Amino acid sequence: MSFYMKEGEPYLRTSYGVMACYWDGSVHYILYLMLISAIGQGKNYRHTGLYWLGSIMTSMLVLIPGSVIGKFGSLIRPAVLLNIPYIFIPIWAGVKIFGKPKMVPQSIADQITLEQKKPLYQRPLDLVLIAYLLFAIVLSIFRGLVALDCPLESCFNYIYQYEPYLKDPVAYPKVMMMVYMFYCVPLFGVSVIGLIKPGCDWMLDVSLILAGALAQGQFTHIFSSYHSMTPYTYRVPDGTWWTVLILNLIYGLGPQLLAYRCCYYSDFFVRTAPKSKEENDKKHQ
């Protein structure tokens, strides 16, 4: 094993590589078992599949580019080709997953109409989620600018006082911030629209992909920035240890709450309401 880590994929010996392997061997393993069980029993696996899709795509979007442009770029070995299936299989799987029918709880039309007529101030959870999404948009753009060496004083202070890990020459944190800024920010934006405008049934898919992406991304980012394998100068400073941890936890847990709201209280997102209870009763008389 040590020979493979040295001569095959040396970038896996970094703190990010270790955390990515932990995630693959635990969360992805559980998701694979859940998918196999659902497929074997003929059940709909759309929700589990979309969560896995967001997670695996984030992992590959960071691991492969980071390995090429970071300090391990000159140490790329043929073993890196083992990651190619993890690029194309999720694309194929994504097509299959999106082909599955949406798992929307059955509700009567009157209940759906009542829920969709509620103004935003009567939906406190949605207000909290919108506030989170706006916060996530600002934080994603700001940290993206920090990773791109923005000359603003606030960016300079943040990278040295809060997250010096963004300057780690392995390049994984920098690529992660780029993924957040260019891929997650648009999804955060459309999610705000989906929480304001009723009938956006695509919110179920978007929220699950976001939840999987941020779960994998924040798990690896948080633990890597504190890990002993990260050089001391790039770890989170002791004075801002808890501030950075809480900030990153909020950033990662918000999409999980959004996905829970969209999947289990989905009346607001139903596009076409079914027949009302009274209409169903008349039909069967």
Side-chain angles (χ1 to χ4, degrees):
M1 183 62 71
S2 59
F3 173 80
Y4 178 80
M5 296 290 284
K6 182 179 180 180
E7 301 296 333
E9 296 185 86
Y11 47 83
L12 293 181
R13 292 186 297 170
T14 63
S15 58
Y16 178 86
V18 170
M19 291 302 111
C21 289
Y22 283 160
W23 185 266
D24 286 340
S26 56
V27 177
H28 281 169
Y29 180 70
I30 293 172
L31 290 174
Y32 291 141
L33 293 179
M34 293 173 64
L35 287 169
I36 292 171
S37 175
I39 293 172
Q41 298 178 39
K43 296 181 179 179
N44 193 326
Y45 53 86
R46 186 184 180 98
H47 285 181
T48 306
L50 289 174
Y51 194 91
W52 166 80
L53 186 63
S55 177
I56 192 69
M57 291 301 292
T58 300
S59 178
M60 289 297 101
L61 283 172
V62 176
L63 181 65
I64 295 178
S67 301
V68 173
I69 69 175
K71 71 176 185 179
F72 290 97
S74 60
L75 300 175
I76 296 297
R77 303 286 191 269
V80 74
L81 298 176
L82 295 173
N83 291 301
I84 291 180
Y86 290 97
I87 299 175
F88 294 102
I89 290 179
I91 297 175
W92 170 81
V95 174
K96 299 285 289 185
I97 292 168
F98 278 108
K100 293 293 178 180
K102 294 185 177 181
M103 300 166 62
V104 181
Q106 296 298 319
S107 302
I108 60 175
D110 296 339
Q111 181 179 341
I112 293 175
T113 301
L114 180 64
E115 181 66 24
Q116 294 189 350
K117 283 185 176 180
K118 286 183 180 179
L120 188 58
Y121 66 84
Q122 291 185 359
R123 294 181 279 125
L125 178 56
D126 289 353
L127 280 173
V128 172
L129 288 171
I130 290 174
Y132 160 77
L133 290 168
L134 295 176
F135 154 79
I137 290 172
V138 173
L139 181 62
S140 299
I141 296 174
F142 176 72
R143 292 204 296 187
L145 294 176
V146 170
L148 290 173
D149 298 322
C150 177
L152 291 176
E153 184 178 357
S154 57
C155 295
F156 179 84
N157 292 335
Y158 182 84
I159 202 163
Y160 285 102
Q161 297 179 17
Y162 293 91
E163 289 198 84
Y165 177 60
L166 298 181
K167 296 293 290 183
D168 194 326
V170 293
Y172 298 120
K174 177 177 289 189
V175 176
M176 181 74 74
M177 296 306 110
M178 297 300 98
V179 170
Y180 286 162
M181 185 165 68
F182 292 112
Y183 292 94
C184 292
V185 165
L187 295 181
F188 289 141
V190 298
S191 296
V192 172
I193 297 173
L195 288 171
I196 296 174
K197 181 181 178 181
C200 298
D201 58 348
W202 41 262
M203 275 293 291
L204 280 73
D205 298 341
V206 170
S207 64
L208 285 165
I209 293 174
L210 259 181
L214 269 294
Q216 195 281 339
Q218 285 304 97
F219 174 85
T220 52
H221 179 72
I222 291 173
F223 282 98
S224 297
S225 60
Y226 292 94
H227 201 280
S228 59
M229 294 181 70
T230 298
Y232 182 78
T233 53
Y234 297 115
R235 295 181 211 164
V236 177
D238 294 337
T240 55
W241 201 92
W242 281 106
T243 302
V244 174
L245 179 61
I246 293 173
L247 183 73
N248 278 296
L249 284 176
I250 293 173
Y251 187 75
L253 292 175
Q256 317 309 313
L257 180 60
L258 176 65
Y260 178 81
R261 188 266 187 266
C262 293
C263 293
Y264 291 97
Y265 301 94
S266 58
D267 288 349
F268 184 79
F269 308 107
V270 175
R271 182 183 296 273
T272 303
K275 293 182 178 180
S276 66
K277 185 177 180 181
E278 291 78 5
E279 290 175 339
N280 286 330
D281 292 339
K282 291 179 179 178
K283 182 178 178 180
H284 292 90
Q285 285 178 354

